[in-house]
Amino acid sequence: MSWWALLGLAAAAYGLKAVGLVVLGPRAVEGPALRLAALLPAALLPALVVVNTFAGDRRLVLDARAVGLAVAVLATWRRAPFVVVVGLAAGATALVRAVG
Amino acid sequence: MDDGASPRPVDPRGSDGARPGRHADAGPDDEPLAAKVRKDIWVLGAAVGVFGVSFGVLATTAGLSLAQACVMSVLVFTGASQFAVIGVLGTGGSLVSALGSALLLAARNAAYGVAMAPTLSRRSLGRRLLAAQLVIDESTAMATAQPGRRAREQAFWATGVAVFVCWNVGTVLGAVAGDAVGDPEALGLDAAFPAGFVALAVPHLRSRQGRVAAVCGTAIALALIPLAPAGVPIVAAALGVVPAVLFAGGPPSERAPSAGAAPR
């Protein structure tokens, strides 16, 4: 990988972050736009969860990660502390992989 | 961080309850970040650090020099994009497709930036340009899970810095020490991130609007996984906020804590 490609990628990646935080975000200072902005994490975080859990190479897959997610949902529902949620999910996934 | 004692500029959104009829958020907005959240942040950082090691190993295996791997982790600083680049290059893919995949995965950071903007709006342009580099999954999730503006801002910086340090230290270790550290997936650590995001999504699900946005965003992402390149399903999930605002406008008492950014 050339240094130019790397620096170009860095510039583009930074640009995407900055355009949201510094250009688009501050325009949503009131009214419906702000409400949309405030709701974005509610839409994005669960999507991130399902993509990180069920996405294979352009297909849906059900593997050890799904067990980890199920354990995480259960632990969260039981109001387990953050560390416990993360630890149990990782442990369950590792266990399924070790056995399977 | 700073804050608290310094005189505040007038909030253009009036979220400090200056306007009659608006929800006065002064109480929760002034609460500092809870100590246990700081501990959670380092747990997240540690998990990121292990993936940083894994990235360092894979990057050098895929043909990047030590310096390139380290510069990428400092300047690009978006794990999913970085793994995509070396994944495509490592399997003989073209540079164009490597960069394309990386940018699709990085696009969601623009949406995170929009979500974080109200929290950081009082800061100088220089400070916000610095903050922009730290706008990633972890910092946005940890920040927006906090009840008040001050805690949100502190969580953003603390998570951003913790993840930045861990990711970069991990990259150096992996690139230098190589395979000695093993496979994070054998430890189930790839499941640690969705698990953490489940916990951090909970405050967003307390309002009806938040739940509708979550269901719609999830459905969009799942539907697009087989149809679109990686990265697109998550960005497209942002559209889940549209039905939430159009069809689920609940009473003010139902609003999400994160919407503390959104006075009603």
Side-chain angles (χ1 to χ4, degrees), chain A residues 36-63:
Chain A
L36 287 171
L39 277 171
L40 276 173
L44 289 170
L45 292 179
L48 188 62
V49 169
V50 296
V51 168
N52 279 342
T53 304
F54 299 111
D57 188 16
R58 285 269 190 120
R59 62 199 179 89
L60 292 164
V61 292
L62 204 60
D63 58 23

Side-chain angles (χ1 to χ4, degrees), chain B residues 79-254:
Chain B
S81 297
Q82 293 180 233
F83 274 113
V85 168
I86 57 166
V88 173
L89 292 180
T91 52
S94 73
L95 183 64
V96 172
S97 83
L99 297 181
S101 310
L103 290 179
L104 284 179
L105 284 159
R108 65 176 179 265
N109 293 332
Y112 292 150
V114 171
M116 287 310 304
T119 299
L120 294 162
S121 64
R122 290 172 185 165
R123 299 296 163 222
S124 67
L125 180 62
R127 185 72 75 88
R128 283 182 287 143
L129 288 173
L130 182 65
Q133 180 66 348
L134 303 178
V135 172
I136 49 167
D137 295 330
E138 291 85 356
S139 55
T140 308
M142 193 58 86
T144 60
Q146 308 309 318
R149 180 181 186 140
R150 187 174 168 201
R152 274 199 296 277
E153 185 171 1
Q154 289 178 338
F156 170 81
W157 287 104
T159 311
V161 168
V163 169
F164 188 85
V165 169
C166 293
W167 177 247
N168 282 288
V169 169
T171 300
V172 177
L173 288 178
V176 172
D179 253 336
V181 282
D183 177 10
E185 296 199 359
L187 301 169
L189 282 175
D190 53 331
F193 293 96
F197 295 134
V198 165
L200 295 174
V202 169
H204 296 289
L205 305 180
R206 295 208 178 106
S207 74
R208 183 155 160 252
Q209 281 193 331
R211 289 192 293 271
V212 172
V215 169
C216 295
T218 305
I220 291 167
L222 280 175
L224 286 178
I225 285 171
L227 304 175
V232 173
I234 297 172
V235 181
L239 294 174
V241 302
V242 175
V245 167
L246 290 182
F247 307 119
S253 60
E254 271 207 288

Side-chain angles (χ1 to χ4, degrees), chain B residues 47-65:
Chain B
V48 168
V50 178
F51 273 92
V53 173
S54 169
F55 173 75
V57 172
L58 294 173
T60 46
T61 311
L64 268 66
S65 67

